[in-house]
Amino acid sequence: MTEAKPKRRIRLSLTMILSGVIVLLAAALAGVLIFLKNQPPQQRGVAPVVEIAPMEPDSAQWGKNFPNQYATFLLTQTNNTRTAFGGSDKISKLEADPRLLTLFAGYPFSKEYNEERGHMNALADVQSIARVNETTHATCYSCKSSNNPGLWDQMGMLAYDTLMFSDMTPQLDNSIGCANCHEAGTMRLIVTNPALDEALKAQGKDWRTFTRQEMRTVVCANCHVEYYFKGDEKYLVFPWANGTRIENISQYYADLKFRDWVYPYVKDYKGTTDHPEYDAIKMQHPEYEMFTADSTHYLAGVACADCHMPYTRDGAAKFSTHNVQSPLLNAETACGVCHTDVAYVTGRVSVIQNQVYDTLIAAEEALVDAIGSIQAAMGATNVDTALLDEARLLHREAQLRWDFVAAENSMGFHNPEEALRILAEATDLARQAQLKAVQATGDAGILTTGGR
Ligand code: HEC
Ligand code: HEC
Ligand code: HEC
Ligand code: HEC
């Protein structure tokens, strides 16, 4: 009896030491893999064929020196394969999910909203979208063209953004290109969008001090982020001054009393004066914020480029593929460098995405119900306007959280825990909004007027 005890303790601590060693080994292995994977490709000892001018907008010029990167980059124009929740087929999100017509009612996103495509199509796609009209500013071009770095340098971003979209159109003859991510000559990755430089500065960060591995993520944040247009100039700003989590961003907009549009249900509402802080905000593709919110891959030191621009071989040459697309279409190279069982991890993507999708739809239904009840309450007599305003505020907060996940393009894969956390909160807030609307009228009959 008395002998067994210490033995067990020894076995216990042996197990603990062993698990400790295993954890350390696994961490070391992950580190080594990432290190090995991120070694720069061997430079071929050839002098540049042509000298590339600073901020050269024409990618074909750069392509003379770097034919492999250029050739793979061109493929982004013709990619058209669809995946379960992504891919490059320009399908209509509104047709796929008519609830969006209610959620974006009164806003151009209810006119046309499509699945995104490859980088070479960015300029053509923004020019053909029904959301652009005569009041649209040039700011909308910020993430679409390799002419931008040169133009921002010449005229400054304020003057650029103040111009109208149609005035800028003749000045742009290139879609996204090399100059959006690289410095000519050194070819190092750089921040080219002044809004990103300013947003990092506001957080006390300077990208010039970042490591190369960090830049393999930050370079995508030139565009794959949430943003808004500030003031009459429509100056491009990333709302990160409080941090990049959805709670920080929503607080930032609340303090600013910012709105993108007024919900139609408020239009005939005479209860209170103009309250921009209760109105709607559209979230835009926050891939960077979602991924860096302590996702498993981010914490393990993995970068956007690891999955979306994996190293590829062509004969003796090893280079980063510039055919940026869904990594599910080339999972062997995109995931296979770090994961031995590619079928297993892509299977996990499917499980994660389906779970996030189901949770996302539950949040949407709660939102449609909230809108239905608030709308009904607005038309009712004897409404408690203070309670109704609370309902509107809850709806706004619910919707911008839902949209943070919906507008993020990985259907939760970039950070499953964060996506599910935010959606749970969105659903809760939407149901609270609905109940507040009922309370405001004292009429439980409006509870079911929502969209189901
Ligand atoms: C660990 C690998 C991995 C990392 C790191 C990663 N992604 Fe992704 N990304 C994916 C996968 C998988 C998908 C889902 C593709 C699909 O559904 O077809 C995806 C989807 C996307 C999409 C939508 C693609 C489509 O086909 O619709 C975009 C845009 C995107 N990622 C950008 C980024 C950015 C920007 C970063 C860094 C901030 C990043 N990704 C980091 C794996 C990754
Ligand atoms: C969306 C951003 C982006 C665009 C656009 C882009 N690159 Fe890159 N490029 C990268 C990233 C990320 C890397 C990896 C850099 C690293 O690992 O330090 C890279 C690496 C390179 C390298 C270093 C060798 C290699 O293959 O890793 C060369 C050369 C290069 N790119 C050329 C080009 C050329 C030419 C163009 C235009 C046709 C271009 N790039 C467009 C992001 C971009
Ligand atoms: C200059 C702005 C800009 C930069 C920088 C940029 N992107 Fe994009 N990206 C876009 C735009 C705009 C689209 C959508 C184009 C369209 O739909 O026509 C897009 C589309 C994508 C897609 C979808 C492609 C498809 O076929 O569906 C992926 C994936 C993606 N980007 C990943 C990245 C990654 C990873 C980086 C960093 C290495 C990056 N992007 C850097 C602007 C940018
Ligand atoms: C640069 C290395 C690297 C690449 C590329 C990479 N991963 Fe990972 N992945 C990791 C590391 C490190 C972890 C952390 C868990 C671990 O230690 O095994 C991880 C974990 C995961 C997990 C488990 C996540 C969790 O929360 O438990 C999944 C699923 C996964 N990866 C899928 C993918 C897919 C799909 C791709 C390709 C699109 C991919 N990974 C590309 C390094 C990578």
Side-chain angles (χ1 to χ4, degrees):
M1 285 291 286
T2 42
E3 271 165 35
K5 256 189 183 166
K7 218 177 183 178
R8 222 177 48 222
R9 203 175 299 144
I10 288 173
R11 199 181 302 147
L12 233 163
S13 47
L14 245 175
T15 322
M16 280 167 65
I17 290 172
L18 268 180
S19 1
V21 168
I22 289 172
V23 168
L24 281 177
L25 278 177
L29 181 66
V32 168
L33 277 177
I34 291 171
F35 177 77
L36 283 180
K37 172 165 166 38
N38 290 324
Q39 286 315 293
Q42 281 161 5
Q43 294 299 319
R44 280 176 296 161
V46 283
V49 182
V50 296
E51 189 163 332
I52 305 162
M55 293 168 270
E56 169 62 57
D58 182 5
S59 293
Q61 292 303 318
W62 305 59
K64 288 178 186 160
N65 290 348
F66 308 107
N68 290 321
Q69 286 83 359
Y70 182 55
T72 47
F73 184 70
L74 289 179
L75 297 173
T76 62
Q77 184 154 27
T78 45
N79 287 339
N80 57 10
T81 311
R82 198 188 286 195
T83 61
F85 294 101
S88 323
D89 188 5
K90 197 174 155 183
I91 50 164
S92 163
K93 295 196 187 201
L94 301 177
E95 275 167 34
D97 183 358
R99 294 178 198 86
L100 300 184
L101 294 172
T102 305
L103 299 179
F104 296 132
Y107 197 54
F109 272 84
S110 63
K111 287 193 203 147
E112 187 174 355
Y113 189 10
N114 303 324
E115 169 65 26
E116 90 290 32
R117 302 199 288 166
H119 285 159
M120 277 294 283
N121 298 309
L123 188 63
D125 283 350
V126 75
Q127 287 175 344
S128 69
I129 193 101
R131 291 201 298 268
V132 169
N133 61 31
E134 64 283 354
T135 66
T136 307
H137 274 244
T139 323
C140 280
Y141 274 130
S142 302
C143 289
K144 318 292 190 217
S145 170
S146 57
N147 294 97
N148 290 339
L151 288 167
W152 287 323
D153 189 55
Q154 280 165 30
M155 63 195 290
M157 195 171 76
L158 182 62
Y160 182 110
D161 291 351
T162 310
L163 282 179
M164 301 313 287
F165 188 88
S166 51
D167 295 330
M168 187 53 74
T169 303
Q171 311 214 39
L172 308 177
D173 50 4
N174 293 279
S175 187
I176 293 169
C178 322
N180 290 108
C181 298
H182 291 286
E183 179 178 64
T186 66
M187 288 311 284
R188 70 182 179 125
L189 296 176
I190 51 170
V191 166
T192 52
N193 189 337
L196 176 57
D197 189 39
E198 287 165 14
L200 291 170
K201 253 191 216 138
Q203 298 176 297
K205 294 179 187 165
D206 180 359
W207 61 270
R208 291 165 196 86
T209 65
F210 289 179
T211 62
R212 179 171 155 247
Q213 182 64 4
E214 281 175 292
M215 287 309 289
R216 288 163 55 86
T217 292
V218 171
V219 76
C220 313
N222 277 306
C223 305
H224 289 269
V225 292
E226 159 62 10
Y227 62 81
Y228 75 105
F229 297 170
K230 187 177 167 186
D232 291 340
E233 297 87 4
K234 305 291 173 199
Y235 190 72
L236 182 66
V237 178
F238 300 173
W240 295 353
N242 305 332
T244 55
R245 295 261 180 176
I246 182 60
E247 286 77 12
N248 307 132
I249 291 175
S250 111
Q251 188 59 50
Y252 178 95
Y253 284 135
D255 292 344
L256 210 67
K257 297 194 190 303
F258 182 79
R259 70 167 161 231
D260 277 319
W261 86 100
V262 181
Y263 291 115
Y265 67 62
V266 182
K267 280 234 172 90
D268 313 318
Y269 178 50
K270 305 285 188 300
T272 55
T273 48
D274 192 35
H275 269 300
E277 70 271 32
Y278 301 157
D279 291 331
I281 294 181
K282 178 80 189 78
M283 289 289 146
Q284 320 275 355
H285 40 71
E287 279 87 51
Y288 174 79
E289 296 90 330
M290 186 71 95
F291 177 64
T292 55
D294 293 345
S295 68
T296 306
H297 281 110
Y298 182 65
L299 290 181
V302 181
C304 313
D306 287 320
C307 294
H308 288 281
M309 302 182 65
Y311 290 123
T312 311
R313 275 195 180 284
D314 180 12
K318 178 189 168 200
F319 59 96
S320 306
T321 180
H322 280 56
N323 182 10
V324 177
Q325 58 176 340
S326 162
L328 299 180
L329 298 171
N330 59 336
E332 283 300 330
T333 32
C335 323
V337 194
C338 300
H339 294 285
T340 43
D341 193 344
V342 171
Y344 172 76
V345 286
T346 49
R348 288 299 301 160
V349 176
S350 172
V351 171
I352 290 166
Q353 289 187 324
N354 279 301
Q355 193 189 355
V356 171
Y357 177 76
D358 289 346
T359 315
L360 185 87
I361 295 301
E364 275 180 29
E365 296 197 326
L367 281 165
V368 172
D369 285 350
I371 290 173
S373 294
I374 293 174
Q375 202 163 12
M378 295 252 164
T381 43
N382 292 331
V383 185
D384 181 331
T385 50
L387 281 178
L388 196 46
D389 284 343
E390 278 181 47
R392 291 168 60 197
L393 189 60
L394 285 162
H395 169 215
R396 163 185 160 124
E397 291 297 308
Q399 177 145 342
L400 67 82
R401 278 168 179 73
W402 158 80
D403 205 8
F404 197 75
V405 180
E408 207 278 344
N409 281 296
S410 72
M411 193 52 79
F413 174 73
H414 289 146
N415 197 341
E417 295 85 359
E418 182 69 353
L420 292 171
R421 180 186 77 80
I422 294 172
L423 288 175
E425 220 193 325
T427 306
D428 180 38
L429 289 166
R431 291 295 173 204
Q432 286 187 45
Q434 192 186 12
L435 288 177
K436 275 277 189 267
V438 172
Q439 248 183 315
T441 58
D443 176 7
I446 67 170
L447 194 60
T448 51
T449 42
R452 254 191 287 184

PDB file of all heavy atoms in Angstrom, residues 4 6 12 18 21 42 48 63 102 124 142 155 172 188 199 208 230 246 283 310 319 330 358 360 378 402 430:
ATOM      1  N   ALA A   4       3.156   1.738  -3.145  1.00  0.00           N
ATOM      2  CA  ALA A   4       2.566   2.095  -4.451  1.00  0.00           C
ATOM      3  C   ALA A   4       2.579   3.597  -4.710  1.00  0.00           C
ATOM      4  O   ALA A   4       2.754   4.037  -5.826  1.00  0.00           O
ATOM      5  CB  ALA A   4       1.138   1.570  -4.537  1.00  0.00           C
ATOM      6  N   PRO A   6       4.614   6.413  -3.910  1.00  0.00           N
ATOM      7  CA  PRO A   6       5.713   7.115  -4.568  1.00  0.00           C
ATOM      8  C   PRO A   6       5.916   6.639  -6.005  1.00  0.00           C
ATOM      9  O   PRO A   6       6.210   7.434  -6.891  1.00  0.00           O
ATOM     10  CB  PRO A   6       6.942   6.789  -3.711  1.00  0.00           C
ATOM     11  CG  PRO A   6       6.516   5.830  -2.672  1.00  0.00           C
ATOM     12  CD  PRO A   6       5.043   5.788  -2.642  1.00  0.00           C
ATOM     13  N   LEU A  12       3.794   9.392 -12.602  1.00  0.00           N
ATOM     14  CA  LEU A  12       3.065  10.601 -12.971  1.00  0.00           C
ATOM     15  C   LEU A  12       4.022  11.682 -13.477  1.00  0.00           C
ATOM     16  O   LEU A  12       3.824  12.262 -14.547  1.00  0.00           O
ATOM     17  CB  LEU A  12       2.320  11.121 -11.740  1.00  0.00           C
ATOM     18  CG  LEU A  12       0.822  11.346 -11.975  1.00  0.00           C
ATOM     19  CD1 LEU A  12       0.111  11.435 -10.630  1.00  0.00           C
ATOM     20  CD2 LEU A  12       0.594  12.566 -12.825  1.00  0.00           C
ATOM     21  N   LEU A  18       7.635  13.579 -19.878  1.00  0.00           N
ATOM     22  CA  LEU A  18       7.558  13.107 -21.265  1.00  0.00           C
ATOM     23  C   LEU A  18       6.649  14.005 -22.100  1.00  0.00           C
ATOM     24  O   LEU A  18       7.007  14.405 -23.214  1.00  0.00           O
ATOM     25  CB  LEU A  18       7.027  11.668 -21.296  1.00  0.00           C
ATOM     26  CG  LEU A  18       8.118  10.609 -21.274  1.00  0.00           C
ATOM     27  CD1 LEU A  18       7.503   9.215 -21.297  1.00  0.00           C
ATOM     28  CD2 LEU A  18       9.055  10.776 -22.497  1.00  0.00           C
ATOM     29  N   VAL A  21       8.380  17.140 -22.824  1.00  0.00           N
ATOM     30  CA  VAL A  21       9.371  16.982 -23.891  1.00  0.00           C
ATOM     31  C   VAL A  21       8.680  16.930 -25.250  1.00  0.00           C
ATOM     32  O   VAL A  21       9.114  17.571 -26.218  1.00  0.00           O
ATOM     33  CB  VAL A  21      10.197  15.688 -23.650  1.00  0.00           C
ATOM     34  CG1 VAL A  21      11.023  15.355 -24.878  1.00  0.00           C
ATOM     35  CG2 VAL A  21      11.107  15.867 -22.435  1.00  0.00           C
ATOM     36  N   GLN A  42      16.849  30.622 -53.629  1.00  0.00           N
ATOM     37  CA  GLN A  42      18.202  30.971 -54.047  1.00  0.00           C
ATOM     38  C   GLN A  42      18.133  31.995 -55.176  1.00  0.00           C
ATOM     39  O   GLN A  42      17.337  31.880 -56.085  1.00  0.00           O
ATOM     40  CB  GLN A  42      18.916  29.719 -54.556  1.00  0.00           C
ATOM     41  CG  GLN A  42      19.423  28.855 -53.412  1.00  0.00           C
ATOM     42  CD  GLN A  42      19.713  27.449 -53.865  1.00  0.00           C
ATOM     43  OE1 GLN A  42      19.626  27.128 -55.045  1.00  0.00           O
ATOM     44  NE2 GLN A  42      20.061  26.612 -52.919  1.00  0.00           N
ATOM     45  N   PRO A  48      19.768  42.201 -63.250  1.00  0.00           N
ATOM     46  CA  PRO A  48      18.456  42.572 -63.768  1.00  0.00           C
ATOM     47  C   PRO A  48      18.521  42.891 -65.256  1.00  0.00           C
ATOM     48  O   PRO A  48      19.490  43.489 -65.726  1.00  0.00           O
ATOM     49  CB  PRO A  48      18.084  43.814 -62.958  1.00  0.00           C
ATOM     50  CG  PRO A  48      19.082  43.967 -61.877  1.00  0.00           C
ATOM     51  CD  PRO A  48      20.211  43.023 -62.130  1.00  0.00           C
ATOM     52  N   GLY A  63       8.042  42.211 -64.889  1.00  0.00           N
ATOM     53  CA  GLY A  63       8.015  40.830 -65.363  1.00  0.00           C
ATOM     54  C   GLY A  63       9.229  40.460 -66.202  1.00  0.00           C
ATOM     55  O   GLY A  63       9.596  39.284 -66.303  1.00  0.00           O
ATOM     56  N   THR A 102     -32.564  42.090 -47.086  1.00  0.00           N
ATOM     57  CA  THR A 102     -33.125  42.746 -45.903  1.00  0.00           C
ATOM     58  C   THR A 102     -32.020  43.409 -45.095  1.00  0.00           C
ATOM     59  O   THR A 102     -32.153  44.551 -44.658  1.00  0.00           O
ATOM     60  CB  THR A 102     -33.841  41.703 -45.014  1.00  0.00           C
ATOM     61  OG1 THR A 102     -34.811  41.030 -45.808  1.00  0.00           O
ATOM     62  CG2 THR A 102     -34.516  42.362 -43.825  1.00  0.00           C
ATOM     63  N   ALA A 124     -11.135  45.979 -63.301  1.00  0.00           N
ATOM     64  CA  ALA A 124     -12.317  45.778 -64.149  1.00  0.00           C
ATOM     65  C   ALA A 124     -13.551  45.527 -63.293  1.00  0.00           C
ATOM     66  O   ALA A 124     -14.644  46.034 -63.587  1.00  0.00           O
ATOM     67  CB  ALA A 124     -12.084  44.604 -65.101  1.00  0.00           C
ATOM     68  N   SER A 142      -8.721  52.649 -54.092  1.00  0.00           N
ATOM     69  CA  SER A 142      -7.504  52.528 -53.283  1.00  0.00           C
ATOM     70  C   SER A 142      -6.865  51.145 -53.331  1.00  0.00           C
ATOM     71  O   SER A 142      -5.647  51.023 -53.198  1.00  0.00           O
ATOM     72  CB  SER A 142      -7.801  52.881 -51.825  1.00  0.00           C
ATOM     73  OG  SER A 142      -8.318  54.177 -51.725  1.00  0.00           O
ATOM     74  N   MET A 155       0.451  63.248 -55.689  1.00  0.00           N
ATOM     75  CA  MET A 155      -0.603  64.205 -55.323  1.00  0.00           C
ATOM     76  C   MET A 155      -1.007  64.131 -53.858  1.00  0.00           C
ATOM     77  O   MET A 155      -1.718  65.008 -53.371  1.00  0.00           O
ATOM     78  CB  MET A 155      -1.817  64.019 -56.248  1.00  0.00           C
ATOM     79  CG  MET A 155      -2.497  62.664 -56.154  1.00  0.00           C
ATOM     80  SD  MET A 155      -3.629  62.338 -57.535  1.00  0.00           S
ATOM     81  CE  MET A 155      -4.943  63.493 -57.177  1.00  0.00           C
ATOM     82  N   LEU A 172      -6.068  55.539 -64.409  1.00  0.00           N
ATOM     83  CA  LEU A 172      -5.704  54.183 -63.984  1.00  0.00           C
ATOM     84  C   LEU A 172      -5.766  53.241 -65.173  1.00  0.00           C
ATOM     85  O   LEU A 172      -6.816  53.079 -65.793  1.00  0.00           O
ATOM     86  CB  LEU A 172      -6.661  53.696 -62.891  1.00  0.00           C
ATOM     87  CG  LEU A 172      -6.852  54.637 -61.686  1.00  0.00           C
ATOM     88  CD1 LEU A 172      -7.883  54.056 -60.722  1.00  0.00           C
ATOM     89  CD2 LEU A 172      -5.536  54.869 -60.964  1.00  0.00           C
ATOM     90  N   ARG A 188      11.986  44.430 -51.807  1.00  0.00           N
ATOM     91  CA  ARG A 188      11.470  44.072 -50.483  1.00  0.00           C
ATOM     92  C   ARG A 188       9.981  44.405 -50.400  1.00  0.00           C
ATOM     93  O   ARG A 188       9.464  45.231 -51.172  1.00  0.00           O
ATOM     94  CB  ARG A 188      12.271  44.767 -49.380  1.00  0.00           C
ATOM     95  CG  ARG A 188      12.035  46.242 -49.312  1.00  0.00           C
ATOM     96  CD  ARG A 188      12.882  46.894 -48.223  1.00  0.00           C
ATOM     97  NE  ARG A 188      12.612  48.325 -48.256  1.00  0.00           N
ATOM     98  CZ  ARG A 188      12.208  49.039 -47.212  1.00  0.00           C
ATOM     99  NH1 ARG A 188      12.079  48.494 -46.037  1.00  0.00           N
ATOM    100  NH2 ARG A 188      11.958  50.336 -47.350  1.00  0.00           N
ATOM    101  N   ALA A 199      -2.496  53.938 -39.900  1.00  0.00           N
ATOM    102  CA  ALA A 199      -3.185  53.115 -38.900  1.00  0.00           C
ATOM    103  C   ALA A 199      -2.177  52.427 -37.985  1.00  0.00           C
ATOM    104  O   ALA A 199      -2.412  52.279 -36.785  1.00  0.00           O
ATOM    105  CB  ALA A 199      -4.070  52.076 -39.594  1.00  0.00           C
ATOM    106  N   ARG A 208       8.505  49.602 -40.803  1.00  0.00           N
ATOM    107  CA  ARG A 208       9.914  49.513 -41.245  1.00  0.00           C
ATOM    108  C   ARG A 208      10.754  48.691 -40.274  1.00  0.00           C
ATOM    109  O   ARG A 208      11.844  48.244 -40.619  1.00  0.00           O
ATOM    110  CB  ARG A 208      10.496  50.913 -41.413  1.00  0.00           C
ATOM    111  CG  ARG A 208       9.881  51.653 -42.604  1.00  0.00           C
ATOM    112  CD  ARG A 208      10.161  53.146 -42.563  1.00  0.00           C
ATOM    113  NE  ARG A 208       9.278  53.869 -43.479  1.00  0.00           N
ATOM    114  CZ  ARG A 208       8.059  54.295 -43.160  1.00  0.00           C
ATOM    115  NH1 ARG A 208       7.572  54.075 -41.953  1.00  0.00           N
ATOM    116  NH2 ARG A 208       7.311  54.921 -44.041  1.00  0.00           N
ATOM    117  N   LYS A 230     -13.462  58.926 -44.280  1.00  0.00           N
ATOM    118  CA  LYS A 230     -13.657  59.949 -43.262  1.00  0.00           C
ATOM    119  C   LYS A 230     -14.021  61.299 -43.878  1.00  0.00           C
ATOM    120  O   LYS A 230     -13.348  61.762 -44.806  1.00  0.00           O
ATOM    121  CB  LYS A 230     -12.351  60.073 -42.457  1.00  0.00           C
ATOM    122  CG  LYS A 230     -12.433  60.978 -41.260  1.00  0.00           C
ATOM    123  CD  LYS A 230     -11.095  60.945 -40.536  1.00  0.00           C
ATOM    124  CE  LYS A 230     -11.004  62.059 -39.511  1.00  0.00           C
ATOM    125  NZ  LYS A 230      -9.652  62.105 -38.933  1.00  0.00           N
ATOM    126  N   ILE A 246     -13.129  43.222 -33.119  1.00  0.00           N
ATOM    127  CA  ILE A 246     -14.421  43.813 -33.475  1.00  0.00           C
ATOM    128  C   ILE A 246     -14.926  44.752 -32.379  1.00  0.00           C
ATOM    129  O   ILE A 246     -15.515  45.799 -32.666  1.00  0.00           O
ATOM    130  CB  ILE A 246     -15.470  42.722 -33.815  1.00  0.00           C
ATOM    131  CG1 ILE A 246     -16.798  43.359 -34.223  1.00  0.00           C
ATOM    132  CG2 ILE A 246     -15.696  41.766 -32.673  1.00  0.00           C
ATOM    133  CD1 ILE A 246     -16.727  44.247 -35.424  1.00  0.00           C
ATOM    134  N   MET A 283     -19.255  46.240 -42.868  1.00  0.00           N
ATOM    135  CA  MET A 283     -17.885  45.764 -42.660  1.00  0.00           C
ATOM    136  C   MET A 283     -17.313  45.320 -44.004  1.00  0.00           C
ATOM    137  O   MET A 283     -18.038  44.791 -44.842  1.00  0.00           O
ATOM    138  CB  MET A 283     -17.879  44.588 -41.699  1.00  0.00           C
ATOM    139  CG  MET A 283     -18.198  44.981 -40.278  1.00  0.00           C
ATOM    140  SD  MET A 283     -16.830  45.914 -39.581  1.00  0.00           S
ATOM    141  CE  MET A 283     -17.735  47.034 -38.537  1.00  0.00           C
ATOM    142  N   PRO A 310       2.508  29.975 -51.707  1.00  0.00           N
ATOM    143  CA  PRO A 310       3.553  29.017 -51.324  1.00  0.00           C
ATOM    144  C   PRO A 310       4.671  28.942 -52.374  1.00  0.00           C
ATOM    145  O   PRO A 310       4.447  29.242 -53.547  1.00  0.00           O
ATOM    146  CB  PRO A 310       2.791  27.689 -51.251  1.00  0.00           C
ATOM    147  CG  PRO A 310       1.598  27.867 -52.125  1.00  0.00           C
ATOM    148  CD  PRO A 310       1.229  29.316 -52.012  1.00  0.00           C
ATOM    149  N   PHE A 319      10.349  29.711 -56.453  1.00  0.00           N
ATOM    150  CA  PHE A 319       9.832  31.075 -56.261  1.00  0.00           C
ATOM    151  C   PHE A 319       8.466  31.035 -55.583  1.00  0.00           C
ATOM    152  O   PHE A 319       7.829  29.982 -55.516  1.00  0.00           O
ATOM    153  CB  PHE A 319       9.729  31.800 -57.612  1.00  0.00           C
ATOM    154  CG  PHE A 319       8.826  31.087 -58.594  1.00  0.00           C
ATOM    155  CD1 PHE A 319       7.492  31.465 -58.726  1.00  0.00           C
ATOM    156  CD2 PHE A 319       9.293  30.036 -59.359  1.00  0.00           C
ATOM    157  CE1 PHE A 319       6.651  30.792 -59.612  1.00  0.00           C
ATOM    158  CE2 PHE A 319       8.460  29.358 -60.256  1.00  0.00           C
ATOM    159  CZ  PHE A 319       7.139  29.740 -60.378  1.00  0.00           C
ATOM    160  N   ASN A 330      -4.867  24.353 -54.367  1.00  0.00           N
ATOM    161  CA  ASN A 330      -3.496  23.815 -54.486  1.00  0.00           C
ATOM    162  C   ASN A 330      -2.986  23.406 -53.097  1.00  0.00           C
ATOM    163  O   ASN A 330      -1.890  23.793 -52.688  1.00  0.00           O
ATOM    164  CB  ASN A 330      -2.549  24.819 -55.153  1.00  0.00           C
ATOM    165  CG  ASN A 330      -2.460  26.128 -54.379  1.00  0.00           C
ATOM    166  OD1 ASN A 330      -3.363  26.489 -53.645  1.00  0.00           O
ATOM    167  ND2 ASN A 330      -1.355  26.833 -54.543  1.00  0.00           N
ATOM    168  N   ASP A 358     -23.344  27.514 -40.648  1.00  0.00           N
ATOM    169  CA  ASP A 358     -24.620  27.279 -39.948  1.00  0.00           C
ATOM    170  C   ASP A 358     -24.842  28.327 -38.858  1.00  0.00           C
ATOM    171  O   ASP A 358     -25.958  28.833 -38.677  1.00  0.00           O
ATOM    172  CB  ASP A 358     -24.634  25.880 -39.315  1.00  0.00           C
ATOM    173  CG  ASP A 358     -24.733  24.788 -40.379  1.00  0.00           C
ATOM    174  OD1 ASP A 358     -25.054  25.118 -41.546  1.00  0.00           O
ATOM    175  OD2 ASP A 358     -24.472  23.607 -40.050  1.00  0.00           O
ATOM    176  N   LEU A 360     -23.530  31.310 -38.772  1.00  0.00           N
ATOM    177  CA  LEU A 360     -23.731  32.593 -39.453  1.00  0.00           C
ATOM    178  C   LEU A 360     -25.190  32.763 -39.879  1.00  0.00           C
ATOM    179  O   LEU A 360     -25.787  33.835 -39.729  1.00  0.00           O
ATOM    180  CB  LEU A 360     -22.819  32.643 -40.684  1.00  0.00           C
ATOM    181  CG  LEU A 360     -22.760  33.930 -41.492  1.00  0.00           C
ATOM    182  CD1 LEU A 360     -21.710  34.864 -40.898  1.00  0.00           C
ATOM    183  CD2 LEU A 360     -22.399  33.652 -42.942  1.00  0.00           C
ATOM    184  N   MET A 378     -41.883  50.624 -34.889  1.00  0.00           N
ATOM    185  CA  MET A 378     -41.815  52.012 -35.380  1.00  0.00           C
ATOM    186  C   MET A 378     -43.191  52.489 -35.829  1.00  0.00           C
ATOM    187  O   MET A 378     -43.519  53.663 -35.709  1.00  0.00           O
ATOM    188  CB  MET A 378     -40.863  52.092 -36.572  1.00  0.00           C
ATOM    189  CG  MET A 378     -39.439  51.790 -36.206  1.00  0.00           C
ATOM    190  SD  MET A 378     -38.462  53.258 -36.238  1.00  0.00           S
ATOM    191  CE  MET A 378     -37.027  52.779 -35.356  1.00  0.00           C
ATOM    192  N   TRP A 402     -22.034  40.410 -36.959  1.00  0.00           N
ATOM    193  CA  TRP A 402     -22.325  39.376 -37.966  1.00  0.00           C
ATOM    194  C   TRP A 402     -21.548  39.648 -39.254  1.00  0.00           C
ATOM    195  O   TRP A 402     -20.942  38.755 -39.844  1.00  0.00           O
ATOM    196  CB  TRP A 402     -23.845  39.345 -38.256  1.00  0.00           C
ATOM    197  CG  TRP A 402     -24.151  38.735 -39.571  1.00  0.00           C
ATOM    198  CD1 TRP A 402     -24.196  37.401 -39.870  1.00  0.00           C
ATOM    199  CD2 TRP A 402     -24.387  39.445 -40.805  1.00  0.00           C
ATOM    200  NE1 TRP A 402     -24.455  37.228 -41.218  1.00  0.00           N
ATOM    201  CE2 TRP A 402     -24.577  38.469 -41.806  1.00  0.00           C
ATOM    202  CE3 TRP A 402     -24.466  40.797 -41.155  1.00  0.00           C
ATOM    203  CZ2 TRP A 402     -24.830  38.807 -43.130  1.00  0.00           C
ATOM    204  CZ3 TRP A 402     -24.719  41.134 -42.472  1.00  0.00           C
ATOM    205  CH2 TRP A 402     -24.896  40.147 -43.438  1.00  0.00           C
ATOM    206  N   ALA A 430     -28.898  40.424 -31.354  1.00  0.00           N
ATOM    207  CA  ALA A 430     -30.048  40.562 -32.249  1.00  0.00           C
ATOM    208  C   ALA A 430     -31.334  40.144 -31.542  1.00  0.00           C
ATOM    209  O   ALA A 430     -32.378  40.792 -31.670  1.00  0.00           O
ATOM    210  CB  ALA A 430     -29.837  39.734 -33.511  1.00  0.00           C
TER     211      ALA A 430
END
